[in-house]
């Protein structure tokens, strides 16, 4: 939980918000995903393994990122990286949207935080490791019109806490790390990404 009245927004030129686990809390997400896609439990296990393995690694392009990610999903299982890619976009992400719509809600401090940050002159970006951000905003009822950017980590070549991706994000925003506030739910990813470039971090 965050008390937005205690955040000195005028000290920052940019506020970087995580999405999953930050804009909404996600208790039992893994269980809901398993129930929602129980015909692909091996693929789900592979995704968890790959997500942990790929964290913090940097690639030269989004294509290179995905190539490594899908290869890792399939590495220990009797299916190919091509199958993993098809499953991820055709089943995994749509299942996640259904789970969010059924079980989760936008946290009440999120929209006021964006408004306060913008009123203070800060740029605001939502930075996520997962795709289909616009669809999630719509499901949650989050007004993304005030955002300066909504960026998926794969577009920058590396999942959190990839330093190079954070540096690319800061360059995109044209702000200094010391004047950037990162807000997320995981210290090992969101927090470490902030520390690697010298930004401030608040864990929600």
């Amino acid at each position: 939980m965050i008390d937005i009245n205690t955040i000195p927004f005028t000290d920052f030129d940019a506020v970087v918000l995580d999405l999953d686990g930050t804009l909404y809390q996600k208790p039992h997400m893994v269980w809901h995903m398993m129930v929602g896609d129980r015909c692909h439990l091996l693929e789900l296990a592979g995704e968890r393994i790959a997500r942990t393995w790929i964290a913090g690694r940097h690639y030269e392009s989004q294509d290179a990122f995905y190539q490594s990610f899908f290869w890792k999903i399939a590495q220990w299982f009797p299916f190919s990286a091509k199958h993993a890619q098809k499953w991820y976009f055709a089943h995994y992400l749509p299942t996640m949207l259904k789970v969010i719509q059924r079980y989760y809600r936008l946290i009440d401090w999120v929209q006021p935080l964006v408004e306060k940050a913008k009123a203070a002159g800060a740029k605001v970006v939502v930075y996520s490791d997962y795709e289909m951000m616009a669809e999630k905003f719509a499901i949650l009822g989050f007004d993304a019109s005030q955002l300066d950017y909504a960026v998926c980590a794969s577009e920058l070549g590396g999942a959190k806490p990839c330093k190079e991706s954070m540096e690319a994000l800061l360059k995109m925003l044209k702000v200094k790390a010391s004047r950037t506030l990162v807000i997320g739910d995981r210290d090992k990813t969101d927090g470490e990404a902030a520390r690697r470039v010298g930004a401030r971090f608040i864990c929600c």
Side-chain angles (χ1 to χ4, degrees):
M1 186 68 180
I2 289 180
D3 181 357
I4 63 174
N5 295 314
T6 65
I7 300 175
F9 289 105
T10 54
D11 290 351
F12 302 104
D13 295 324
V15 175
V16 178
L17 286 166
D18 174 50
L19 201 167
D20 301 282
T22 301
L23 300 194
Y24 68 96
Q25 293 180 334
K26 54 174 187 175
H28 315 300
M29 172 63 87
V30 173
W31 168 253
H32 291 314
M33 290 294 293
M34 291 172 63
V35 172
D37 194 17
R38 50 186 173 271
C39 292
H40 298 98
L41 295 181
L42 291 181
E43 289 89 340
L44 285 166
E47 193 277 339
R48 288 292 83 199
I49 293 170
R51 188 69 62 180
T52 299
W53 178 79
I54 210 167
R57 297 173 184 265
H58 182 252
Y59 299 88
E60 293 303 316
S61 66
Q62 186 177 45
D63 287 343
F65 171 88
Y66 279 137
Q67 183 178 6
S68 183
F69 180 53
F70 296 130
W71 167 80
K72 193 63 179 181
I73 291 177
Q75 183 179 13
W76 305 109
F77 299 100
F79 51 79
S80 66
K82 185 175 181 180
H83 169 86
Q85 179 177 359
K86 183 178 179 180
W87 162 80
Y88 183 77
F89 289 110
H91 292 275
Y92 180 82
L93 291 175
T95 297
M96 181 181 285
L97 295 180
K98 292 177 183 177
V99 167
I100 294 170
Q101 185 171 33
R102 182 171 183 179
Y103 294 105
Y104 304 116
R105 298 293 179 269
L106 183 71
I107 294 177
D108 57 7
W109 54 257
V110 170
Q111 208 75 60
L113 183 146
V114 174
E115 293 170 2
K116 279 183 171 288
K118 294 298 294 184
K123 296 178 181 178
V124 180
V125 58
V126 174
Y127 174 43
S128 176
D129 273 341
Y130 295 88
E131 298 80 359
M132 292 192 171
M133 298 174 69
E135 291 85 348
K136 291 178 183 179
F137 295 156
I139 288 171
L140 292 168
F142 173 66
D143 179 9
S145 63
Q146 293 191 74
L147 295 179
D148 292 272
Y149 296 100
V151 183
C152 182
S154 63
E155 299 173 42
L156 304 177
K160 302 172 190 175
C162 179
K163 180 182 179 182
E164 291 85 351
S165 292
M166 274 298 296
E167 289 174 338
L169 182 61
L170 295 174
K171 185 177 180 180
M172 180 188 303
L173 293 170
K174 298 179 181 179
V175 296
K176 295 180 179 179
S178 60
R179 297 277 300 177
T180 300
L181 173 64
V182 177
I183 299 175
D185 67 308
R186 297 186 64 195
D187 184 72
K188 287 185 178 180
T189 53
D190 304 303
E192 183 59 23
R195 287 189 290 273
R196 287 185 180 184
V197 296
R200 181 177 169 186
F201 174 63
I202 294 179
C203 186
C204 61

